[in-house]
Amino acid sequence: MITESPILALQQQRMLLEIEYNVDKEEHRRQMEAKGLERLAKRGDAWLNVRFGRSYYNSLNQLSIELYRTQDQDVEHNFEFGRPVWILRKQRPTTEGKANEGLGKRNEGLGKYLSGVVNYVDGDRMVVVVPDGTDIVTLQTAETLTVQLAFDETTYRLMFEALDRTIRAKGRLGYLRDLFYSSQKAETFSFAPMQFPFLNASQERAVNEVLRAKDVAVVHGPPGTGKTTTLVEAIFETLRRENQVLVCAQSNMAVDWISEKLVDRGINVLRIGNPTRVNDKMLSFTYERRFESHPDYTQLWAIRKGIRELRANRKRGDRSFHQKLERLKEREIELDLRIRAQIFGEARVIACTLVGSANRLLDGMKFGTLFIDEAAQALEAACWIPMRRASRVILAGDHCQLPPTIKSIAAMKGGLDKTLMQRIVERKPEAVTLLTMQYRMNEKIMQFSSNWFYNGKVVAAPAVKFRGILDLDTPMEWREIKDEELVIRDEETKFDDRRESQLGNEEFVGENFGRVNKPEARETLMALAEYFVKIGKQRIMDERIDVGIISPYRAQVQYIRHLIKKTDFFKPFRKIISVNTVDGFQGQERDVILVSLVRSNAEGQIGFLRDLRRMNVAITRARMKLIILGDVNTLTKHPFYKKLWEYCINRG
């Protein structure tokens, strides 16, 4: 039996996490000092010249302020629930003519900046929770306000605490720790398999294995295989045996997605934290919205208002002040606990991010089963945060797709990128169920990924096997930049395809934006324009044929967006064309996908394109048409891309 000391392994994880923390913090500090606010805004890390809306106390009795973005509305920002921010008040220029924007220096009171936490984001409106006692008037009267992302100390602190707690653990948490780091077989219950007519054979097997698991089970879901459908059914069946379960994921978006599917299944979900997918349906099952709609909330709000007014109007020498305050606080606590108990008592599923599971609202709560969706994208330390609340854990995801984001090369080489799901897959194959039938892609698009990543076990469902847009179309093709100076292949496109002298050469833009290949970007849009002409404009609009353009590099994404915006041909189609990074397309699909690989150099350097898991995501987003654009001479020096190119040439 292969056994690794779990204590030593987790101590190693902690050391690597410490390295990652220091690198991440230093990089954030350097960026804040070196880059102006304008550049931060273009990256989506800041809002400039924000308009102050109103201030109020939310249902959790937190002082909240509304901020509105007034410029750069076309930039995709990185603000979301739970992220820490700084609110900067731009100072008037000094006599030397330099403006002090308060970067890197903390000022007493508000002064140069105020810290807060994002509570809600909807388009260009943001709600930020700020400390009690904040001088709201100073904010309202400031010459200009800027809000920017701050370094997230809280997430790291919670991961460190989770590792320390797991290292010291005895009881059930200690048992799971020791189990996961050994090759000891995971125990199961024994009962006849249940049948689910609306699931395929592998999905049905996965649900049964989840129900049988005493300690752990893994649902391995390759692209398009219905992982979410399977997980929802597993949760539904688990709730026939348990009163309540905890469902977590690494990102707010993933939590929103699984929560929405559970609600559609008729399950009472309580979402801890505000959703990223903002709509009335999503908001209706958040804790805050449920709290506000409770019949006793009006009374509670009145008591809290009374407490604030009592404190604000306290008179010197008022001997009855403390008595009045204590009576009101006792009544406040009583009502708060009663409302909270009723809300949690009615919920069958508690849904939150892994970090969100540390929320004080969940203090003292225990669950029979913890479900972790998109487990392959979460650091192991983050998975241990909710684990203390559960007796068993079910992990779902695909370790052959996007890995966790890690900034330290040293930490990555040390093994920080190895997830808990990977560890369990390697040590406990009996606990893993692979979903094998996919419902997204044409068979020819799917087959390469199936062969390379899943040992050829994934097959296409009959309904999508031969699905395409055009008769006799080539579902998957690789396209290169040719050496012609000017090529307009169809006058109907009206696309100015003027090329630059150094064809195919990549350009380094910066650490955070990566690389751009302008000729390849233009070739990408030329390929799309030509395909649109073949399909026909009217058919595209009638059938709402949607398109995704993917690139590993942010600089290439931004340049392609710029080209689309200034090209008249694409004006009618802009709403159906999405352009984003590989990470931005995780979990999504489109009828047509174009992938711009960017790298083109004499040395054959491909950088992080060597992370094939990202490429697996990129090439599995397309339902009916996949076009890959890349420099063959550069990329085929790597065996994966050589094989992919040969596949496109021979079978696409």
Side-chain angles (χ1 to χ4, degrees):
M1 181 183 295
I2 302 172
T3 304
E4 181 181 1
S5 169
I7 305 298
L8 291 177
L10 287 170
Q11 287 173 341
Q12 172 77 359
Q13 283 278 312
R14 200 189 193 288
M15 183 190 72
L16 294 172
L17 188 63
E18 190 91 37
I19 295 171
E20 172 71 5
Y21 165 77
N22 290 328
V23 169
D24 195 8
K25 189 173 184 178
E26 176 60 24
E27 184 180 315
H28 185 272
R29 184 197 63 78
R30 187 164 46 82
Q31 287 176 2
M32 295 301 104
E33 292 181 353
K35 302 183 186 302
L37 286 175
E38 293 285 345
R39 291 191 66 184
L40 290 174
K42 296 299 181 187
R43 286 178 50 199
D45 292 342
W47 285 6
L48 306 182
N49 299 318
V50 299
R51 178 171 63 82
F52 189 93
R54 65 187 180 105
S55 64
Y56 61 95
Y57 282 87
N58 65 16
S59 58
L60 302 181
N61 205 28
Q62 299 167 318
L63 180 57
S64 305
I65 59 174
E66 285 182 337
L67 301 172
Y68 292 87
R69 182 164 59 163
T70 62
Q71 63 183 71
D72 302 314
Q73 281 105 333
D74 58 331
V75 176
E76 290 188 25
H77 62 77
N78 300 314
F79 295 90
E80 63 174 22
F81 171 81
R83 299 205 64 178
V85 295
W86 293 335
I87 302 169
L88 288 75
R89 186 186 63 178
K90 190 172 182 180
Q91 307 296 302
R92 293 186 181 278
T94 64
T95 54
E96 289 79 20
K98 295 181 180 181
N100 187 344
E101 297 178 339
L103 288 174
K105 295 183 179 180
R106 194 176 284 276
N107 193 37
E108 54 282 348
L110 173 64
K112 295 167 188 174
Y113 74 70
L114 171 75
S115 63
V117 177
V118 177
N119 185 250
Y120 182 86
V121 184
D122 183 10
D124 296 321
R125 173 178 173 263
M126 185 191 310
V127 177
V128 179
V129 173
V130 295
D132 255 343
T134 296
D135 188 351
I136 300 298
V137 175
T138 305
L139 285 173
Q140 291 172 324
T141 57
E143 183 182 349
T144 56
L145 290 174
T146 293
V147 57
Q148 71 174 61
L149 286 171
F151 182 71
D152 190 358
E153 293 274 2
T154 302
T155 295
Y156 279 106
R157 176 177 59 78
L158 291 172
M159 287 195 291
F160 285 129
E161 289 176 357
L163 287 174
D164 292 340
R165 183 169 51 247
T166 307
I167 289 170
R168 298 189 307 266
K170 302 296 183 184
R172 186 63 182 171
L173 183 61
Y175 173 80
L176 291 176
R177 174 201 64 204
D178 296 342
L179 178 68
F180 295 165
Y181 278 86
S182 75
S183 55
Q184 175 187 337
K185 285 188 177 292
E187 293 186 24
T188 58
F189 297 103
S190 181
F191 56 80
M194 297 177 62
Q195 293 185 336
F196 305 96
F198 44 89
L199 299 180
N200 64 46
S202 64
Q203 292 172 333
E204 187 176 279
R205 186 166 62 253
V207 173
N208 276 291
E209 291 304 319
V210 167
L211 298 177
R212 289 193 184 105
K214 283 186 180 180
D215 307 310
V216 64
V218 176
V219 180
H220 183 187
T225 54
K227 171 182 66 67
T228 302
T229 300
T230 307
L231 194 59
V232 166
E233 192 58 36
I235 293 169
F236 185 86
E237 289 298 324
T238 301
L239 288 171
R240 293 180 183 271
R241 298 155 176 79
E242 300 176 19
N243 184 55
Q244 199 172 65
V245 300
L246 180 62
V247 177
C248 295
Q250 171 69 14
S251 68
N252 278 293
M253 189 170 291
V255 177
D256 294 344
W257 182 250
I258 186 72
S259 296
E260 194 168 353
K261 297 302 177 184
L262 289 167
V263 170
D264 291 341
R265 193 72 167 81
I267 298 171
N268 189 329
V269 176
L270 182 62
R271 173 76 157 92
I272 305 299
N274 279 323
T276 302
R277 298 157 56 90
V278 179
N279 56 51
D280 288 340
K281 178 182 176 181
M282 297 294 295
L283 286 172
S284 66
F285 56 83
T286 62
Y287 178 80
E288 283 193 44
R289 186 61 62 90
R290 296 268 180 90
F291 200 93
E292 289 172 351
S293 61
H294 193 277
D296 291 338
Y297 176 70
T298 303
Q299 185 182 355
L300 178 62
W301 184 87
I303 292 172
R304 286 173 171 174
K305 184 181 179 183
I307 291 173
R308 289 193 293 271
E309 290 175 348
L310 185 64
R311 285 171 170 164
N313 301 321
R314 180 184 181 183
K315 295 178 181 178
R316 187 175 295 179
D318 186 356
R319 296 180 179 179
S320 64
F321 170 78
H322 291 291
Q323 291 178 336
K324 293 176 183 176
L325 184 63
E326 285 303 314
R327 282 199 302 270
L328 287 172
K329 287 179 72 174
E330 284 177 8
R331 183 60 177 153
E332 179 200 15
I333 293 169
E334 180 189 339
L335 279 173
D336 184 272
L337 291 174
R338 189 164 75 198
I339 296 171
R340 187 184 304 183
Q342 188 171 339
I343 293 171
F344 276 96
E346 293 172 350
R348 302 298 309 280
V349 170
I350 309 299
C352 58
T353 61
L354 295 167
V355 172
S357 67
N359 194 302
R360 60 179 181 80
L361 291 170
L362 299 179
D363 285 352
M365 295 189 67
K366 297 290 184 180
F367 302 87
T369 305
L370 163 67
F371 290 87
I372 301 179
D373 195 13
E374 302 296 353
Q377 288 182 259
L379 290 174
E380 179 174 344
C383 291
W384 288 110
I385 298 174
M387 208 96 67
R388 61 174 172 147
R389 303 190 186 280
S391 296
R392 66 178 195 139
V393 60
I394 310 300
L395 300 106
D398 182 10
H399 53 283
C400 301
Q401 295 189 66
L402 287 182
T405 301
I406 296 173
K407 296 183 178 180
S408 167
I409 295 173
M412 185 180 295
K413 288 182 176 178
L416 188 64
D417 63 336
K418 186 170 184 176
T419 65
L420 185 63
M421 179 174 168
Q422 281 180 274
R423 192 178 305 282
I424 294 169
V425 167
E426 291 173 4
R427 294 174 179 269
K428 308 199 187 312
E430 74 281 356
V432 182
T433 305
L434 176 70
L435 305 181
T436 56
M437 183 167 289
Q438 69 86 22
Y439 299 87
R440 175 186 299 164
M441 295 164 275
N442 180 291
E443 185 179 46
K444 288 187 177 180
I445 299 174
M446 173 216 72
Q447 197 61 57
F448 181 83
S449 173
S450 177
N451 292 343
W452 188 277
F453 295 100
Y454 309 105
N455 298 316
K457 293 180 179 178
V458 180
V459 298
V464 304
K465 190 172 184 178
F466 304 110
R467 186 171 64 178
I469 298 174
L470 299 171
D471 293 337
L472 303 176
D473 197 5
T474 304
M476 189 169 174
E477 62 180 270
W478 187 302
R479 183 157 168 164
E480 288 189 85
I481 298 176
K482 305 295 191 294
D483 291 335
E484 297 90 34
E485 185 63 27
L486 177 65
V487 181
I488 299 179
R489 297 172 177 82
D490 196 310
E491 184 62 28
E492 196 178 334
T493 66
K494 304 292 183 186
F495 191 92
D496 183 14
D497 189 33
R498 296 188 186 277
R499 306 190 186 273
E500 301 174 10
S501 58
Q502 291 187 310
L503 295 176
N505 282 351
E506 63 190 60
E507 302 171 37
F508 182 71
V509 176
E511 289 181 21
N512 296 292
F513 291 90
R515 300 170 189 272
V516 66
N517 188 326
K518 293 181 178 179
E520 185 176 289
R522 301 179 70 83
E523 184 73 24
T524 301
L525 294 191
M526 176 58 79
L528 180 59
E530 289 178 354
Y531 197 63
F532 273 3
V533 170
K534 287 181 182 178
I535 299 171
K537 176 181 176 180
Q538 195 59 47
R539 185 185 169 197
I540 294 170
M541 304 308 289
D542 290 346
E543 298 181 16
R544 301 293 297 175
I545 296 172
D546 52 1
V547 177
I549 302 176
I550 303 175
S551 180
Y553 297 98
R554 291 182 66 176
Q556 188 80 341
V557 167
Q558 292 193 3
Y559 186 68
I560 291 173
R561 286 174 179 168
H562 167 72
L563 290 182
I564 291 174
K565 191 177 292 185
K566 76 172 192 177
T567 305
D568 289 339
F569 175 81
F570 292 110
K571 191 172 182 178
F573 310 115
R574 286 172 189 165
K575 289 186 178 179
I576 62 170
I577 301 174
S578 305
V579 188
N580 215 327
T581 60
V582 179
D583 295 55
F585 264 101
Q586 172 72 352
Q588 300 187 44
E589 58 187 73
R590 297 290 188 275
D591 294 324
V592 181
I593 288 287
L594 297 93
V595 182
S596 173
L597 296 175
V598 176
R599 300 309 298 263
S600 177
N601 54 76
E603 297 78 24
Q605 298 294 321
I606 63 172
F608 73 92
L609 289 186
R610 288 192 298 270
D611 188 343
L612 305 182
R613 293 171 293 183
R614 278 191 158 77
M615 278 309 300
N616 189 30
V617 174
I619 65 176
T620 55
R621 300 305 96 191
R623 300 187 190 103
M624 294 179 280
K625 180 72 173 181
L626 173 64
I627 302 173
I628 300 171
L629 297 102
D631 182 355
V632 172
N633 291 330
T634 299
L635 293 161
T636 55
K637 289 181 171 65
H638 190 285
F640 172 86
Y641 295 97
K642 185 174 189 289
K643 200 79 172 177
L644 179 60
W645 175 72
E646 290 172 349
Y647 179 88
C648 292
I649 297 299
N650 298 325
R651 299 186 59 183

